[in-house]
Amino acid sequence: MNTAVLVLLGLTAVLGALLTAQGERARPPWGALFLAGLLALAGGLAWAGGNAPAGIEEAAAVAAVLAAVAGGGPVATAVLRAADPAAVGVSGGPQDPSILRGGAWIGGLERVAVAVTLLARSAEGLVVVLAVKGLGRYAELRAPAAAERFILGTLASALWAAACVGVAILLR
């Protein structure tokens, strides 16, 4: 059962990377739901499987970080689109990718940092990662749409990374 968790985490990472490669504007919204379903299935199997050998634990930790980074973009994009469904196609809303440019790269780095700090059991590290991200974008957050996009994207991204790492932690 633990091997199935590794396969599902790997599949989540690969499919997340494929969805990310499509670009934010062309990404299908059902992709995020599919990734979430794969992760939920992996979590259920990890919970039922229990303690795994050390090699499986380490591989699951690596796969969880990869799944967090690769799958977080499609999930965050889906959350941003769902947050403002009435204004899809209208510029200036939270779904507009021209607001807070560079967010996809920052989000990927954020998910790596969140995943690694959670695996290291460092609550302080998690606080530092999120604080640095907020301080780095502080000047841009005066616009309401930018603030909303920042909060929604950060929460979706961090929660996705935490969920991926949670699957690996369930194998301990």
Side-chain angles (χ1 to χ4, degrees), residues 29-47:
W30 56 264
L33 290 174
F34 191 71
L35 290 174
L38 284 175
L39 190 63
L41 182 58
L45 290 175
W47 182 56

Side-chain angles (χ1 to χ4, degrees), residues 6-20 35 38-39 62-72 74 160 164:
L6 279 178
V7 169
L8 287 170
L9 281 172
L11 187 59
T12 302
V14 169
L15 290 176
L18 290 173
L19 286 169
T20 299
L35 290 174
L38 284 175
L39 190 63
V62 170
V65 172
L66 292 174
V69 173
W160 175 258
C164 290

Side-chain angles (χ1 to χ4, degrees), residues 113-140:
V114 167
V116 169
T117 57
L118 289 175
L119 285 169
R121 299 177 182 175
S122 173
E124 298 85 4
L126 184 61
V127 170
V128 168
V129 167
L130 296 175
V132 166
K133 184 177 180 194
L135 288 173
R137 291 286 197 178
Y138 180 74
E140 298 171 274

Side-chain angles (χ1 to χ4, degrees), residues 87-110:
V88 172
V90 176
S91 66
Q95 83 287 349
D96 186 359
S98 65
I99 296 174
L100 299 176
R101 293 301 312 153
W105 284 101
I106 294 169
L109 294 171
E110 169 197 1

